Amino acid sequence: MIIQFEKDINSAQKEAIVNRVKGLKYKPTTVITQKGEYLIGTGKKDFDIREIGHMEGISDIHIVSDDYKLVSKKWKVKPTIIDLGDGVVIEEGGFQIMAGPCSIESEDQIRKVIGHLKENGISIMRGGVYKPRSSPYSFRGLGIEGLQLWYQLAKEAGIKIITEVMQVSQIAEMYPYTDIYQVGARNTQNFNLLDELGKVDKPVMIKRGISGTIDELLSSAEYVFSGGNERLLLCERGIRTYESATRNTMDLNAIAVLKEKTHLPVISDPSHGIGIRDFVEPIALASIMAGADGVIFETHEKPEEAYSDGQQTLNFEESTKMINRMRKTFELRESF
Amino acid sequence: MIIQFEKDINSAQKEAIVNRVKGLKYKPTTVITQKGEYLIGTGKKDFDIREIGHMEGISDIHIVSDDYKLVSKKWKVKPTIIDLGDGVVIEEGGFQIMAGPCSIESEDQIRKVIGHLKENGISIMRGGVYKPRSSPYSFRGLGIEGLQLWYQLAKEAGIKIITEVMQVSQIAEMYPYTDIYQVGARNTQNFNLLDELGKVDKPVMIKRGISGTIDELLSSAEYVFSGGNERLLLCERGIRTYESATRNTMDLNAIAVLKEKTHLPVISDPSHGIGIRDFVEPIALASIMAGADGVIFETHEKPEEAYSDGQQTLNFEESTKMINRMRKTFELRESF
Amino acid sequence: MIIQFEKDINSAQKEAIVNRVKGLKYKPTTVITQKGEYLIGTGKKDFDIREIGHMEGISDIHIVSDDYKLVSKKWKVKPTIIDLGDGVVIEEGGFQIMAGPCSIESEDQIRKVIGHLKENGISIMRGGVYKPRSSPYSFRGLGIEGLQLWYQLAKEAGIKIITEVMQVSQIAEMYPYTDIYQVGARNTQNFNLLDELGKVDKPVMIKRGISGTIDELLSSAEYVFSGGNERLLLCERGIRTYESATRNTMDLNAIAVLKEKTHLPVISDPSHGIGIRDFVEPIALASIMAGADGVIFETHEKPEEAYSDGQQTLNFEESTKMINRMRKTFELRESF
Amino acid sequence: MIIQFEKDINSAQKEAIVNRVKGLKYKPTTVITQKGEYLIGTGKKDFDIREIGHMEGISDIHIVSDDYKLVSKKWKVKPTIIDLGDGVVIEEGGFQIMAGPCSIESEDQIRKVIGHLKENGISIMRGGVYKPRSSPYSFRGLGIEGLQLWYQLAKEAGIKIITEVMQVSQIAEMYPYTDIYQVGARNTQNFNLLDELGKVDKPVMIKRGISGTIDELLSSAEYVFSGGNERLLLCERGIRTYESATRNTMDLNAIAVLKEKTHLPVISDPSHGIGIRDFVEPIALASIMAGADGVIFETHEKPEEAYSDGQQTLNFEESTKMINRMRKTFELRESF
């Protein structure tokens, strides 16, 4: 169950509610976010909602039997809106594109990508400065200096930054230079990282795990939300299956299902979802029809010279073409 | 390698070509289809195509190193067109919809579906009379009598029939009443069935196996083609993965990849691909953007009363809405 | 539910029982096997077993709610014994080994394998004469002539034959020359083949599907059993997963689980389960500890010259060593 | 390539070697561990080992083309021995058992498990004080206080401790109380954690990822090794597949393959591998036959009252029986 407290609730009222919840053999957990205060009750027994609902200090109460509660649409029907400031908003009904290289490489590279984004009216740039790599001997990113450089150039251009955070100690370090923290597929169940991101007042985009279930993705989001941060996005980026013709198997079913289960915006990453440059566009367009609220993809002036993921990165010409088609596809979907 | 013979080739010329192929340590297989005669050479050694290409009786020669050859686009760039007669054609660039119930149940049911298809301008009806079921105690279809009844009603209405064939002995039995033979996901690697379908002069649609790879699907099509039947369609219907939130995991990557690898039309089956009524539409629209040449889906007057697959079957209202949206989505894609 | 009829039941008694079952909203299916006559009732409603149990003509009644019934241990606790005659028996508590080449190739090859089996006290030889191959251009087996030749040599040597049947029309053809019909992984859900094998009075070994579940394997066995043939074996041979370091992922969990769910003997196929010669032995020994009642594996005088599966086939020296170790491992397990 | 430096190498010699490696277009990475100093060269071009091998300061050089190098058996044939002190050693040829509860719960619980271990001659106790849980509302472990309490009791009893570390900040905190750091399946690719564990002088056991490949597990070990810590163990604990009859699919193939690919000890975790109490023993015995150097499993005085994983935890009676059988199985294997 989710109990929303009234703003002016007093401590005696709180205690009474907590005791009533315990009396039902439910375990109470208090959650305080930027937007409000909640009491989450977890338990198994059926109960009559009226036993609690009328108590003083309660603004609303909902029964949510899933493992994830605060991220569920059963409780919050209204879609979550992620406002990055300066008019940049990610929300249901307002298609957002995030594009950029796999890795941030150099000032020149950043400038060129920013130029490309500006030409196409894109407001959010992706790029990695901490790179999770299977081998310890691979390029592992430019680190915080790369991010600082990037931030300076992006800010001048009025571009927002989404970039991956890999560990707790980076959260504070990255804070001044980041607009959206991205949690990568290998960290979807790095629960300490999720806990700490719950304490931050910047949006977090959580990618689905390499072989994560839809429910696990929602539970990971529940970690951040219950830690105090409601500003969350979910991202489908393909799952691991037996099929080796493509890098991953893009699971567009998941986008359709997530849009029904949660009030959080759902983003599609076709670059990782299929992993082959020529097929990024059809999968991007398909994911919009499946219900995505935004698309994140990889682009680079010269993909064949990129430090990483070149095989799935679009050049600027391909990128421009795809951006136009995505917008038309979104328009058609919204007309339905 | 694929060698296409000239129409007036004589037996001495053929023999000379076969011997040359053997001389290269390639194993020759002669293929005679409704449309022409080919010699397939399988082997590993590199060779100079000019050693063979100039020989008398050869109209064309191609090097195709994949396991599948005749279904490869490397050899036949022009898309295959499946003409069912009466102006009903399945082909790249001309979107076809096939709809109908999971199982054929009764005259009344058939009449109602046909009425619904006519209203929506659909020319191909799907339905099962032989049903593959995990349990021997489940409903296993009306059999040949059901097909005969269906055929009579469909013919009167000018509707073509696609229906599943489960075993060799059914091929001849079904022949007079079937426009497209469907090979189900459990029979994708039933090689004897594929061999025999190679001898038939009616189109065959092969569904991807429960956990079949893209290459295995193409090799299964190669069986039918090399058996003599070029009139083939491929169908993506979702694969088995660890994710249990949906019945299968629709692999739209496969549609994008197949469209590049083969000249055969590619059909999407969103009903089985996601298996949940509410999400069939987004997946159908997505599959069009991924490149599908057609969509096959399940509809029934009263899905909740259907003998099988009710949970993924659309009622007529939902079906009509989806048909209109699919056509608009296809139009947009073609405008790109 | 499973109702076992008394041997001298009369038709009036049968009718009364069928009507009672229908009255409970259960669907009755009559099953007549070589060993007895059963009525299978499928339905969902709970009922009091005493409503039926006392009726005349009933020897026993069991409630089995799984999809598979006759193969369930919930009904038949005593393990099924497969007697091939001449003292060759496959059963729980009596370890049987079946060995031989992937494909039957020649008289010389057969003689050598038989010699190897005799030296090691093995009574059942495996080998394929009908080979399911992904590509139509691969070697597809010697067919019925190969089987006839093999049978003659095996019979002289007192060796039993297990070999794969791929389609209905082969059942009768193979009958005089076969001791155990094997259903391959691509045919586990070829329901027509299973139906027909239900009419045969020789044992059938069903391999788990490429990505078949444990329950699906049991349901496939239910097909043959309910078709009339109780003489069944199940075989774990590895499943398809994302891991590509090995040919398949041997699922020894399945052996442990099957031994609890069914009364049928469970056989392990380590050759296909891992697919790499050097690792066949550890997986064979492991599968015995997991509970296998027998092991089937591939051996050939010169694996590197085998027509198929050479990479997972043991030479005779490796085979002899493994046979000895398997027997010692089985002895230890039985001592527990 | 792996270049082992001589102990008395001087800096001029080092520089010369690094330059030669760079000259071959190989990227050099220096690795200093507790046991020696190495230069790892990563690149693609073939080269003649004699171009480098004769240089001064080199004690040995090996070509290892895999992504993982220092953990490869191609370089270090002799198995790695993990010496925990007080005569407790984990090594090939010397079977070690680690047992204990999923979660550390209380002093009483710890005492009882220690008693059980002592009675059975077991020297290493497992248990979790930081618990990774899908839901933020589940029990997440007693934390450092629990570990301190456990350590005190274990030390008195002469028992070593293996326990999971979830994040970088816990490494130092846990250090005084831990004998082996365990990296859980959700953190196998938490590269920052692996980096930091490379700086520690205590052994680390890395579990295979939820859907990790064998190669990824080896690459994760390479992180720790190249970070400076050679004292590593690998653990197979089942992978995620489509089969839902068991919690995970225990991949015993992986144990056989790992034993050939790496010099590190390989441990089996049958409790997570199958996840069902009744089947833990057969899978434990099977994993020994597959080649495991040790087994880690869950036991609790009253599994049905355990805070977590009760369904896969053995009671002491079951545990004792399994321990005896594991030892006999290991003896038999070693006799081969």
Side-chain angles (χ1 to χ4, degrees):
Chain A
M1 76 183 86
I2 300 177
I3 296 168
Q4 243 177 306
F5 288 150
E6 284 183 354
K7 296 233 156 146
D8 58 355
I9 187 170
N10 64 43
S11 55
Q13 291 168 332
K14 265 192 217 177
E15 208 186 316
I17 297 167
V18 166
N19 286 335
R20 183 70 57 91
V21 168
K22 285 182 182 169
L24 295 168
K25 307 273 183 213
Y26 272 60
K27 189 186 143 202
T29 307
T30 304
V31 168
I32 304 170
T33 75
Q34 303 107 341
K35 302 197 180 166
E37 189 168 351
Y38 313 89
L39 190 77
I40 308 302
T42 48
K44 280 178 186 163
K45 231 183 49 175
D46 280 341
F47 66 95
D48 185 338
I49 202 163
R50 289 166 302 184
E51 289 182 56
I52 300 187
H54 69 280
M55 293 179 77
E56 282 180 15
I58 291 182
S59 113
D60 215 346
I61 176 165
H62 301 267
I63 295 184
V64 182
S65 58
D66 302 303
D67 273 352
Y68 50 89
K69 302 191 185 291
L70 290 160
V71 302
S72 170
K73 220 180 202 168
K74 287 183 193 155
W75 158 65
K76 182 166 176 283
V77 180
K78 233 178 112 186
T80 287
I81 296 169
I82 306 294
D83 190 339
L84 301 174
D86 305 318
V88 183
V89 175
I90 304 171
E91 61 178 327
E92 197 176 287
F95 189 64
Q96 271 291 0
I97 298 169
M98 320 181 200
C102 178
S103 299
I104 294 298
E105 296 168 4
S106 68
E107 181 170 340
D108 181 58
Q109 179 224 30
I110 301 168
R111 284 194 189 280
K112 280 177 173 147
V113 172
I114 287 177
H116 171 64
L117 299 187
K118 298 292 283 183
E119 272 174 32
N120 285 280
I122 310 252
S123 310
I124 309 174
M125 179 168 162
R126 62 149 286 151
V129 297
Y130 301 110
K131 299 301 303 172
R133 303 303 294 269
S134 303
S135 165
Y137 310 121
S138 301
F139 173 65
R140 290 164 77 175
L142 293 185
I144 191 68
E145 290 80 14
L147 181 57
Q148 287 163 338
L149 170 67
W150 176 19
Y151 174 74
Q152 194 184 325
L153 299 170
K155 199 180 157 75
E156 284 166 15
I159 296 275
K160 304 294 177 186
I161 282 179
I162 177 168
T163 191
E164 179 164 353
V165 57
M166 281 179 67
Q167 63 174 326
V168 171
S169 67
Q170 293 163 353
I171 297 175
E173 191 179 66
M174 293 167 68
Y175 184 86
Y177 316 111
T178 303
D179 297 289
I180 307 175
Y181 289 98
Q182 178 182 306
V183 175
R186 284 169 194 76
N187 280 314
T188 308
Q189 294 198 309
N190 184 333
F191 300 120
N192 299 109
L193 183 62
L194 299 174
D195 275 339
E196 292 303 314
L197 287 167
K199 300 175 187 161
V200 173
D201 64 353
K202 291 203 172 174
V204 176
M205 183 175 87
I206 308 178
K207 286 197 160 190
R208 187 177 182 184
I210 302 277
S211 66
T213 64
I214 292 171
D215 275 11
E216 285 172 346
L217 177 57
L218 289 165
S219 289
S220 292
E222 186 83 9
Y223 262 90
V224 185
F225 200 127
S226 69
N229 188 352
E230 301 198 6
R231 302 173 72 198
L232 285 162
L233 304 119
L234 304 179
C235 180
E236 163 63 32
R237 45 75 75 196
I239 58 173
R240 182 168 276 179
T241 68
Y242 66 85
E243 177 59 76
S244 60
T246 50
R247 182 174 178 180
N248 291 298
T249 296
M250 187 68 172
D251 180 9
L252 295 186
N253 285 359
I255 292 182
V257 170
L258 282 168
K259 285 301 299 171
E260 191 184 80
K261 289 200 169 185
T262 183
H263 50 82
L264 301 174
V266 178
I267 308 299
S268 158
D269 175 352
S271 305
H272 289 83
I274 189 157
I276 304 167
R277 189 182 313 164
D278 286 351
F279 305 132
V280 170
E281 181 185 303
I283 297 306
L285 303 182
S287 66
I288 295 168
M289 279 303 172
D293 299 310
V295 167
I296 187 166
F297 72 93
E298 294 181 344
T299 186
H300 191 284
E301 196 204 5
K302 294 181 181 171
E304 58 285 352
E305 292 175 13
Y307 286 14
S308 51
D309 278 358
Q311 82 293 341
Q312 70 191 30
T313 299
L314 305 189
N315 64 33
F316 293 162
E317 196 182 343
E318 293 162 334
S319 168
T320 297
K321 195 178 59 149
M322 184 170 97
I323 290 165
N324 290 329
R325 290 178 175 184
M326 287 197 292
R327 287 176 173 151
K328 285 181 185 159
T329 301
F330 176 72
E331 258 173 56
L332 178 63
R333 190 190 84 193
E334 289 301 289
S335 78
F336 289 156
Chain B
M1 78 182 86
I2 299 177
I3 295 169
Q4 244 177 307
F5 290 150
E6 285 183 352
K7 295 233 157 146
D8 58 355
I9 188 171
N10 64 43
S11 56
Q13 290 169 335
K14 266 192 217 177
E15 208 187 316
I17 296 167
V18 167
N19 286 335
R20 183 71 55 90
V21 167
K22 285 182 182 169
L24 294 168
K25 306 272 182 212
Y26 270 61
K27 188 186 143 203
T29 306
T30 303
V31 168
I32 303 171
T33 75
Q34 303 107 339
K35 301 198 180 167
E37 189 168 350
Y38 313 89
L39 191 76
I40 307 302
T42 49
K44 283 179 185 164
K45 231 182 50 173
D46 280 340
F47 67 93
D48 186 338
I49 201 165
R50 289 167 302 183
E51 288 181 58
I52 299 186
H54 69 281
M55 293 180 76
E56 283 179 15
I58 291 181
S59 111
D60 214 347
I61 177 165
H62 300 267
I63 294 182
V64 182
S65 58
D66 302 304
D67 272 353
Y68 50 90
K69 300 189 186 292
L70 290 160
V71 302
S72 171
K73 220 180 202 170
K74 287 183 193 155
W75 158 65
K76 184 167 174 283
V77 180
K78 233 177 112 187
T80 287
I81 296 170
I82 306 294
D83 189 339
L84 301 173
D86 304 318
V88 183
V89 174
I90 304 171
E91 62 179 324
E92 197 176 288
F95 189 65
Q96 271 291 357
I97 297 170
M98 317 182 203
C102 177
S103 299
I104 293 299
E105 297 167 4
S106 67
E107 181 171 339
D108 180 58
Q109 178 223 32
I110 300 169
R111 283 194 189 282
K112 278 175 175 150
V113 173
I114 287 178
H116 171 64
L117 300 187
K118 297 291 284 182
E119 271 175 33
N120 286 280
I122 309 246
S123 310
I124 308 175
M125 179 168 162
R126 64 148 287 150
V129 295
Y130 300 110
K131 299 301 303 172
R133 302 304 294 271
S134 301
S135 165
Y137 310 121
S138 301
F139 173 64
R140 291 163 78 174
L142 294 185
I144 190 68
E145 289 78 15
L147 181 57
Q148 286 163 339
L149 169 67
W150 177 18
Y151 174 74
Q152 197 185 323
L153 300 170
K155 197 178 160 74
E156 283 166 15
I159 296 276
K160 304 294 175 185
I161 283 178
I162 178 168
T163 191
E164 180 164 354
V165 58
M166 282 179 67
Q167 63 173 327
V168 170
S169 67
Q170 293 163 351
I171 297 176
E173 193 179 64
M174 294 167 66
Y175 186 85
Y177 316 110
T178 303
D179 296 291
I180 306 176
Y181 288 98
Q182 177 182 308
V183 175
R186 284 169 194 78
N187 279 313
T188 309
Q189 294 199 309
N190 183 335
F191 300 121
N192 300 108
L193 184 62
L194 299 174
D195 276 339
E196 293 302 314
L197 287 166
K199 299 176 187 160
V200 173
D201 64 353
K202 290 202 172 174
V204 175
M205 182 174 88
I206 307 177
K207 286 197 159 187
R208 187 177 183 185
I210 302 278
S211 66
T213 64
I214 293 171
D215 276 11
E216 284 172 346
L217 178 57
L218 289 165
S219 289
S220 292
E222 187 82 12
Y223 262 90
V224 186
F225 200 127
S226 69
N229 188 352
E230 302 198 5
R231 303 173 72 196
L232 285 162
L233 305 120
L234 304 178
C235 179
E236 164 63 31
R237 46 76 74 198
I239 58 173
R240 181 169 276 180
T241 69
Y242 65 86
E243 176 59 75
S244 60
T246 50
R247 180 174 179 180
N248 291 298
T249 297
M250 188 67 171
D251 181 8
L252 294 186
N253 285 359
I255 292 181
V257 170
L258 282 169
K259 285 302 298 173
E260 192 185 79
K261 288 200 170 186
T262 182
H263 51 82
L264 301 174
V266 177
I267 307 299
S268 159
D269 174 352
S271 305
H272 289 84
I274 190 157
I276 303 167
R277 191 182 312 164
D278 286 350
F279 305 133
V280 170
E281 182 185 302
I283 298 306
L285 303 182
S287 66
I288 295 169
M289 280 302 172
D293 300 309
V295 167
I296 186 166
F297 73 94
E298 292 181 345
T299 187
H300 190 285
E301 197 204 6
K302 295 182 180 169
E304 58 286 354
E305 293 176 14
Y307 286 16
S308 51
D309 278 358
Q311 81 293 343
Q312 69 192 30
T313 299
L314 306 189
N315 64 33
F316 292 163
E317 196 183 343
E318 293 162 333
S319 168
T320 297
K321 195 180 59 152
M322 182 170 99
I323 290 165
N324 290 330
R325 291 178 175 183
M326 289 198 290
R327 286 176 174 150
K328 284 182 185 158
T329 301
F330 176 71
E331 258 174 54
L332 177 64
R333 189 189 85 193
E334 289 301 290
S335 78
F336 288 156
Chain C
M1 77 183 84
I2 300 178
I3 296 168
Q4 244 177 306
F5 289 150
E6 285 182 352
K7 294 234 156 142
D8 58 355
I9 186 170
N10 63 42
S11 55
Q13 290 168 333
K14 264 192 217 176
E15 208 187 315
I17 296 167
V18 167
N19 285 336
R20 184 71 55 91
V21 168
K22 284 183 181 167
L24 296 167
K25 305 274 182 212
Y26 270 60
K27 188 187 144 203
T29 307
T30 304
V31 167
I32 303 171
T33 76
Q34 302 107 342
K35 302 197 180 166
E37 188 167 351
Y38 312 89
L39 190 76
I40 308 303
T42 49
K44 282 176 185 165
K45 230 181 51 173
D46 280 340
F47 67 95
D48 186 338
I49 201 164
R50 291 167 300 184
E51 288 182 59
I52 300 187
H54 70 281
M55 292 179 77
E56 284 179 14
I58 291 182
S59 112
D60 215 347
I61 178 164
H62 300 266
I63 294 183
V64 182
S65 59
D66 302 303
D67 273 353
Y68 51 90
K69 300 188 186 291
L70 290 160
V71 302
S72 170
K73 220 180 202 169
K74 286 183 194 156
W75 158 65
K76 183 168 174 282
V77 181
K78 232 177 111 187
T80 287
I81 297 169
I82 306 294
D83 190 339
L84 301 174
D86 304 318
V88 183
V89 174
I90 304 171
E91 61 179 326
E92 197 176 288
F95 189 65
Q96 271 291 358
I97 298 170
M98 319 181 201
C102 178
S103 298
I104 294 298
E105 296 168 4
S106 67
E107 180 172 339
D108 180 59
Q109 179 224 31
I110 299 169
R111 282 194 190 281
K112 279 175 174 149
V113 172
I114 286 178
H116 171 65
L117 299 187
K118 297 292 283 182
E119 272 174 34
N120 286 281
I122 309 249
S123 309
I124 309 173
M125 179 168 163
R126 62 148 288 151
V129 297
Y130 300 109
K131 301 301 303 171
R133 304 303 295 271
S134 302
S135 165
Y137 310 121
S138 301
F139 172 65
R140 291 164 76 174
L142 293 186
I144 190 67
E145 289 81 13
L147 181 57
Q148 286 163 338
L149 170 66
W150 176 20
Y151 174 74
Q152 196 185 325
L153 299 170
K155 197 178 160 72
E156 284 166 16
I159 295 276
K160 304 293 176 188
I161 283 179
I162 178 169
T163 192
E164 178 164 355
V165 57
M166 283 178 66
Q167 63 173 329
V168 171
S169 68
Q170 292 163 352
I171 297 176
E173 191 179 63
M174 294 168 66
Y175 185 85
Y177 316 112
T178 302
D179 296 291
I180 306 175
Y181 288 97
Q182 177 182 305
V183 174
R186 283 168 194 78
N187 279 314
T188 308
Q189 294 198 309
N190 184 335
F191 300 120
N192 299 108
L193 183 63
L194 299 174
D195 275 338
E196 293 301 315
L197 287 166
K199 300 177 187 159
V200 174
D201 65 354
K202 291 202 172 176
V204 176
M205 183 174 88
I206 308 178
K207 288 195 157 189
R208 187 177 183 185
I210 301 277
S211 67
T213 65
I214 293 171
D215 276 11
E216 284 172 346
L217 177 57
L218 289 165
S219 289
S220 292
E222 186 83 10
Y223 262 91
V224 185
F225 201 127
S226 69
N229 188 352
E230 300 198 6
R231 303 174 72 198
L232 285 163
L233 304 120
L234 304 179
C235 179
E236 164 61 32
R237 45 76 74 196
I239 57 173
R240 182 168 275 178
T241 69
Y242 66 84
E243 176 60 75
S244 60
T246 50
R247 181 174 177 180
N248 291 299
T249 296
M250 188 66 171
D251 180 9
L252 295 186
N253 285 359
I255 292 181
V257 170
L258 282 170
K259 285 302 298 173
E260 193 185 78
K261 289 200 169 186
T262 182
H263 50 82
L264 301 174
V266 177
I267 308 299
S268 158
D269 174 351
S271 306
H272 289 84
I274 190 157
I276 303 167
R277 192 181 311 163
D278 287 351
F279 305 133
V280 171
E281 182 185 302
I283 296 308
L285 302 182
S287 65
I288 295 169
M289 280 302 173
D293 300 308
V295 167
I296 187 166
F297 73 94
E298 293 182 344
T299 187
H300 190 285
E301 196 204 5
K302 296 183 179 167
E304 57 287 351
E305 292 175 14
Y307 287 16
S308 51
D309 277 359
Q311 81 293 343
Q312 69 191 30
T313 299
L314 305 189
N315 63 34
F316 292 162
E317 197 182 344
E318 294 162 333
S319 168
T320 297
K321 196 179 58 151
M322 183 169 99
I323 290 165
N324 290 328
R325 292 179 174 182
M326 287 198 292
R327 286 176 174 149
K328 285 182 186 158
T329 301
F330 177 70
E331 258 173 55
L332 177 64
R333 190 190 83 194
E334 289 301 289
S335 78
F336 288 157
Chain D
M1 78 182 85
I2 300 177
I3 295 167
Q4 243 176 306
F5 289 150
E6 284 182 352
K7 296 233 156 149
D8 59 354
I9 187 171
N10 64 40
S11 56
Q13 290 168 332
K14 264 193 218 177
E15 207 187 318
I17 297 167
V18 167
N19 285 335
R20 184 71 55 91
V21 167
K22 285 182 181 168
L24 295 168
K25 305 274 182 214
Y26 270 60
K27 188 187 144 201
T29 307
T30 304
V31 167
I32 302 170
T33 76
Q34 303 107 340
K35 302 198 180 166
E37 189 167 351
Y38 313 89
L39 190 77
I40 308 302
T42 48
K44 282 179 185 163
K45 229 182 52 172
D46 281 339
F47 66 94
D48 186 339
I49 201 164
R50 290 168 301 184
E51 288 183 57
I52 300 187
H54 70 279
M55 293 181 75
E56 283 178 14
I58 291 182
S59 115
D60 214 346
I61 177 165
H62 300 266
I63 295 183
V64 182
S65 58
D66 302 303
D67 272 352
Y68 51 90
K69 302 191 185 291
L70 290 160
V71 302
S72 170
K73 220 180 201 168
K74 287 183 192 154
W75 158 66
K76 183 166 175 282
V77 180
K78 233 177 110 187
T80 287
I81 295 169
I82 307 294
D83 190 340
L84 301 175
D86 304 318
V88 183
V89 174
I90 304 170
E91 62 179 324
E92 196 175 288
F95 189 65
Q96 272 290 0
I97 298 169
M98 319 181 200
C102 177
S103 298
I104 294 298
E105 297 167 5
S106 68
E107 180 171 339
D108 180 58
Q109 178 224 31
I110 301 169
R111 285 196 188 278
K112 279 176 174 148
V113 172
I114 286 177
H116 171 65
L117 300 187
K118 297 292 283 181
E119 272 175 34
N120 285 280
I122 309 253
S123 310
I124 309 174
M125 179 167 161
R126 63 148 288 151
V129 296
Y130 300 111
K131 300 300 303 171
R133 304 302 295 270
S134 302
S135 164
Y137 310 120
S138 301
F139 173 64
R140 291 164 77 173
L142 294 185
I144 190 67
E145 290 79 14
L147 180 58
Q148 287 162 339
L149 170 67
W150 176 19
Y151 174 75
Q152 195 185 322
L153 300 170
K155 197 180 160 74
E156 285 166 15
I159 296 276
K160 305 293 176 187
I161 282 178
I162 178 168
T163 191
E164 179 164 355
V165 57
M166 281 179 67
Q167 64 173 327
V168 170
S169 67
Q170 294 163 351
I171 297 176
E173 191 180 63
M174 294 167 66
Y175 185 86
Y177 316 111
T178 303
D179 297 291
I180 307 175
Y181 289 98
Q182 177 182 307
V183 176
R186 284 168 194 77
N187 279 315
T188 309
Q189 294 199 308
N190 184 336
F191 301 121
N192 299 108
L193 183 62
L194 299 174
D195 275 340
E196 293 303 313
L197 287 167
K199 299 176 187 159
V200 174
D201 65 354
K202 291 204 172 174
V204 176
M205 183 174 87
I206 307 178
K207 287 198 159 188
R208 186 178 184 185
I210 302 277
S211 66
T213 64
I214 294 171
D215 276 11
E216 284 171 349
L217 177 57
L218 289 164
S219 289
S220 292
E222 186 83 9
Y223 262 90
V224 186
F225 200 128
S226 70
N229 188 351
E230 301 198 6
R231 303 174 72 198
L232 285 163
L233 304 118
L234 304 180
C235 180
E236 164 62 30
R237 45 76 74 199
I239 58 173
R240 182 167 276 179
T241 68
Y242 66 85
E243 177 59 74
S244 60
T246 50
R247 182 174 178 180
N248 291 299
T249 297
M250 187 67 171
D251 180 9
L252 295 186
N253 285 358
I255 292 182
V257 170
L258 283 169
K259 285 301 299 171
E260 193 185 80
K261 289 201 170 185
T262 181
H263 50 82
L264 301 173
V266 178
I267 307 300
S268 159
D269 175 351
S271 305
H272 289 84
I274 190 156
I276 303 167
R277 191 183 311 163
D278 287 350
F279 304 132
V280 171
E281 181 185 302
I283 297 307
L285 303 182
S287 66
I288 295 168
M289 279 302 172
D293 300 309
V295 167
I296 186 166
F297 73 93
E298 293 181 345
T299 186
H300 190 284
E301 196 205 5
K302 295 182 181 167
E304 57 286 355
E305 292 176 13
Y307 286 15
S308 50
D309 278 359
Q311 80 294 343
Q312 69 192 29
T313 299
L314 305 189
N315 64 35
F316 293 162
E317 195 182 344
E318 293 162 333
S319 168
T320 297
K321 195 179 57 149
M322 183 169 99
I323 290 165
N324 290 329
R325 292 180 174 181
M326 287 198 292
R327 287 177 174 148
K328 286 182 186 159
T329 301
F330 177 70
E331 258 173 55
L332 177 64
R333 190 190 83 193
E334 289 302 287
S335 77
F336 288 154

